Amino acid sequence: GWAITDIARLSVSDIRAWVDTVALHGREAEIARDLIPEIKGRLEFLEEVGLGYLTLDRGAPTLSGGEAQRIRLAAQLGSNLQGVCYVLDEPTIGLHARDNQFLLRALHQLSEKGNTLVVVEHDEDTIRAADHLIDIGPSAGKRGGRLVAQGSVADLTGAAESQTGRYLLHAMRHPLQARRSMASDATEKIASSALPVSAAGPKDQESAAPVRWLTVHGAHLHNLQNVTARLPLQRLVCVTGVSGSGKSTLARDVLLANVAAWVQQRSTKAGRDAMDAGNAPALTGCTGLQGFETIDRVLEVDQTPIGKTPRSCPATYIGFWDTVRKLFAETLEAKARGYAAGRFSFNTGEGRCPTCEGQGVRTIGMSFLPDVKVPCEACHGARFNPETLAVTWRGKSIGDVLRMEVDEAVDFFASMPSIAHPLQLLKDVGLGYLTLGQPSPTLSGGEAQRIKLVTELTKVRDEVGRRGQKAPHTLYVLDEPTVGLHMADVDKLIRVLHRLVDGGHSVVVIEHDLDVIAEADWIIDLGPEGGAGGGRIVAAATPEDVVRLGTHTGVALASVLARG
């Protein structure tokens, strides 16, 4: 009595329950004899990896990377193969702390069948559950690539060079700074310790306004159950919940999309006039929006690349490369040769290397094989021609500056605050190992995201420095920014998020990482389960109150807050 489309619309858990109720007789029972156990087995494997909330007709492009990976893992669990070496790259992506145990059980099942599992992972539970650990480091980029420790957890914690061992031994204590008050009539000071001395001295500290709230009414997109969510502005807010509970739907598809549309229209006089006349943008997935009036900008900071060609690099993306070019153009040698700032551009003009056209590498087509990039034989990766490289500032050519690591460049440009400040921020977020001219395509997602955050922090400093000008209030939305980040990098990321909030901005983070959640001023916890069993707000409170409420997030968070 069921159409196949009706079955496809059910979740994995619901179909498994339905299969148990199917009563077949005679010829039908003979046909289904081998099929029913097979269907049950595959559904069980999907549930074992925490995907019981997915519907069978869910479109593949709508799946997160972690969900897609766990579907492939469930397929392997059902294959009953032996002697296979599986390599998994961060399988805990998108997994709530409660669901980690599902994944670990599935991985142990695969190994017990006689298979080998190699897992690239930052998650502490997974690390502690491993039979053998291989720790690469001690740092990143050129400073990494060495085996610093291997063996058990004790071997890592006993290795002086192992950052992983250090964090396993001495976990972060929370909160890193005092929680911001949530009282509506509270006033606070912008913490000067959270911003560079040059950006916020004692005279620059101002009393923050009383807590204002951004409210989304009647959110009903996807599995959201007509919820009304209130988020405090100028605070660090975490949206949490088990996988599939509706976090991304609420924060990105409803909150971000609607606030961005309304703020965009209000940014122009014609738009304001239209809104006053009742022609506001149509709301997506909710019935009302309130409290967005103080927001001037909306920005999603994701892990997409900052550029697709070698011409893009941290120095050009953040924006201080123009200042570096002007610096070289002001030298006596440049003036004597008649060089302007345009001469020191590797994108256009006479200054760049004519062979590689300023890219530093040449791409060789390999017919049926992928293209190969090799250093330019003319400039050897310097990007400029010999005449341009002859101009030096403090003994370094413009090509030398591009090849300089951030840590070295901070000292080199110490006398130039407009260049040194963004470089210091790059160092603060743990990117001191990058070179200024590192091609954007070679950056990881986590590195690209932190470079975007540094760009925003640079704007915060510039705005604070302009007298008499109100700094635009920006709403930042980040979806799992800890993906691909080591525990040491998560520590640095948390401090960056605090700096943005201390700069007067609002930060909303969709996150499973308990260290980030423990630092939030306010948590919106969705659930209680995923899929049709989720889509409701089970807690909206401070981290300590969420622990007391005993939600899935609260239970997992209790041990982390207990460290402090």
Side-chain angles (χ1 to χ4, degrees), residues 304-313 359 373 439-442:
T304 55
I306 60 172
K308 296 180 180 178
T309 71
R311 296 186 192 285
S312 172
C313 62
Q359 294 193 57
K373 293 188 185 297
S440 293
T442 67

Side-chain angles (χ1 to χ4, degrees), residues 446-466:
E447 288 168 339
Q449 188 171 45
R450 278 180 285 165
I451 287 171
K452 292 175 186 177
L453 288 169
V454 164
T455 306
E456 292 302 314
L457 280 171
T458 304
K459 291 175 185 173
V460 170
R461 186 256 189 178
D462 292 343
E463 288 150 2
V464 170
R466 292 182 192 138

Side-chain angles (χ1 to χ4, degrees), residues 27-285:
R27 186 166 178 271
E28 286 183 343
E30 286 293 314
I31 293 170
R33 183 185 60 199
D34 296 329
L35 297 178
I36 296 293
E38 187 70 21
I39 292 169
K40 282 183 180 177
R42 288 169 187 265
L43 293 170
E44 282 172 12
F45 294 135
L46 281 167
E47 283 195 312
E48 280 178 20
V49 294
L51 296 177
Y53 60 89
L54 289 182
T55 57
L56 288 201
D57 63 355
R58 176 84 173 260
T62 68
L63 296 169
S64 69
E67 286 170 335
Q69 190 173 40
R70 280 179 281 148
I71 286 172
R72 291 195 291 273
L73 184 61
Q76 295 305 318
L77 280 170
S79 68
N80 283 317
L81 291 175
Q82 296 180 3
V84 178
C85 178
Y86 293 104
V87 180
L88 295 92
D89 192 359
E90 295 204 65
T92 59
I93 289 173
L95 266 190
H96 190 272
R98 182 204 66 169
D99 298 331
N100 270 4
Q101 302 311 313
F102 297 150
L103 178 72
L104 291 175
R105 278 200 297 271
L107 297 181
H108 279 303
Q109 280 185 39
L110 276 176
S111 64
E112 285 165 4
K113 289 179 179 177
N115 300 303
T116 302
L117 283 88
V118 180
V119 184
V120 182
E121 191 52 87
H122 295 292
D123 175 67
E124 185 177 340
D125 289 339
T126 312
I127 292 171
R128 291 188 182 277
D131 299 307
H132 186 81
L133 297 166
I134 297 173
D135 195 31
I136 306 291
S139 188
K142 295 178 181 177
R143 304 173 196 177
R146 291 194 287 114
L147 181 68
V148 293
Q150 65 175 318
S152 65
V153 170
D155 292 319
L156 264 65
T157 55
E161 279 193 312
S162 173
Q163 285 202 59
T164 308
R166 199 151 53 247
Y167 274 85
L168 289 172
L169 196 60
H170 305 292
M172 261 186 273
R173 295 184 178 275
H174 302 285
L176 295 176
Q177 66 179 52
R179 294 213 196 282
R180 300 169 185 89
S181 170
M182 298 308 302
S184 296
D185 58 349
T187 56
E188 297 168 288
K189 299 287 185 181
I190 295 176
S192 59
S193 60
L195 285 169
V197 174
S198 60
K203 293 180 182 178
D204 294 319
Q205 294 178 8
E206 297 176 359
S207 294
V211 177
R212 294 187 180 91
W213 295 81
L214 173 64
T215 308
V216 176
H217 295 278
H220 53 263
L221 193 65
H222 301 322
N223 70 329
L224 293 177
Q225 309 282 325
N226 199 33
V227 299
T228 294
R230 294 177 73 239
L231 296 86
L233 294 175
Q234 296 179 317
R235 298 290 184 272
L236 177 56
V237 180
C238 270
V239 182
T240 62
V242 298
S243 306
S245 58
K247 301 182 297 297
S248 294
T249 301
L250 177 63
R252 294 177 63 195
D253 301 341
V254 178
L255 177 76
L256 177 69
N258 286 300
V259 176
W262 284 57
V263 168
Q264 174 65 29
Q265 180 157 338
R266 197 172 49 79
S267 64
T268 63
K269 186 178 185 304
R272 287 193 295 273
D273 292 342
M275 290 179 82
D276 291 340
N279 296 320
L283 290 167
T284 305

